[in-house]
Amino acid sequence: MFQTRREKLVSRMQQHMDIAILVPGPNMHYFTGLHLKQSERLTFAVITANNDLYFILPQVELNKVDLSNGGVILSYSDEEGPTLAIQRLKKEMGTLQTIGVEFDTMRVHEQKSIEMLTYENLSDIGESIRELRMKKDLQELAYMRQAVQIVEESLAATLPTIQVGVTEMEVAAQLEYEMRRRGSEGTPFGTIVASGYRGALPHGRASTKKIEAGEFIVIDFGAIYKGYVADMTRTVALGDVSPTLQNIYSLVKQANEAAIEAIKPGTTAQSLDCIAREIIRDGGYGDYFTHRLGHGIGLSAHEEPYLMQRNSLVLEEGMAFTVEPGIYIQDVAGVRIEDNLIVTNNGYENLMTFSKELIIL
């Protein structure tokens, strides 16, 4: 699997780049299977135009590398530092014309280490990688389905614990506990539990606010399974809510469902955004839908494709993304409903089965 992915990357590199250097994160995971986070210890995966693979790796991470599909490790101890490993790589690579790097994730610390090599130019390889990662293979989809199962089961287990006087942080903690119990490797972003007036904050991370009767609660959270993300939002009510809030909920639900029904190969990202936005605008709340309709999901919580205005990207089979319209009224409330979708050969698959009818606790 990883060898095949690297072959696709190499086919894009051969005309323009001698090597690609990846730093810890989703791209390194995608092409090598090595799942690490950036730290003070320098770590690189190097893919050559001949599809040779090298790792510069601290000794403490050696047990995480699988070399069954080939590869060379240039390791170093904490006492040695990475300089000798970089010099060994320099000897292996010789004089290079162009090195491909990830402009959006590489740090100055890592770039300075690359400067020890002999080369003429640095070029951004990010666009090519984003294009490759947009279309998910069968193994990726299997992991994503499992991640979705984790979030749905965890939300179902958490909802009965939401009562008057419980804090948002307590709800978030329960959610994260339930996800861990079911195999989540962590959370891809800070769990959002935003009740009442705080629901108007699209990124309202859980706070010490106590939940009150008659409030909407926006719950936006995610799980990670084998590195792959599920990202789910549901808005629930604690007790009866006003007719105005019920109407807002109905509009968001309608916008979510209409955009999803339009998903198929050949549709553009911006057209889906327009469908949802028009429904909310016609309902009188156009100024209160303040973000894009959705974002890609996979090894990252946010990746290509982005469903938003002025994005003419044509959707293709295998692309995975969220659909999450919302309405946010300052100092009053917010509503968001989010599903995870896959483009199929003749339409879409909604990975989520959790009800979108208003749940009143």
Side-chain angles (χ1 to χ4, degrees), residues 136-146 318 320 342 351:
K136 271 53 182 182
D137 60 34
L138 294 178
Q139 184 64 74
E140 291 178 288
L141 294 179
Y143 291 154
M144 292 172 69
R145 290 187 183 97
Q146 184 62 37
I342 305 293
L351 299 182

Side-chain angles (χ1 to χ4, degrees), residues 214-229:
E215 291 185 328
F216 270 157
I217 308 155
V218 180
I219 304 173
D220 185 348
F221 64 109
I224 306 170
Y225 182 78
K226 302 290 187 181
Y228 285 83
V229 171

Side-chain angles (χ1 to χ4, degrees), residues 192 198-205 218 220 290-291 328 336:
I192 294 170
R198 293 193 72 255
L201 303 172
H203 289 165
R205 302 288 190 261
V218 180
D220 185 348
T290 54
H291 55 72
Y328 311 94
R336 183 164 64 253

Side-chain angles (χ1 to χ4, degrees), residues 267-285:
T267 302
T268 63
Q270 64 186 358
S271 69
L272 299 182
D273 183 286
C274 289
I275 288 169
R277 202 167 297 278
E278 182 177 3
I279 289 171
I280 291 175
R281 184 177 62 247
D282 290 349
Y285 290 93

Side-chain angles (χ1 to χ4, degrees), residues 21 42 44 86-87 89-90 99 101 106-120 122:
I21 297 182
L42 186 75
F44 288 147
I86 293 285
Q87 290 174 348
L89 180 67
K90 178 179 180 178
I99 297 176
V101 298
M106 180 168 284
R107 302 170 300 182
V108 174
H109 162 63
E110 291 149 343
Q111 182 182 343
K112 290 295 183 183
S113 298
I114 289 174
E115 290 175 359
M116 296 172 62
L117 304 177
T118 303
Y119 65 95
E120 293 294 326
L122 293 179

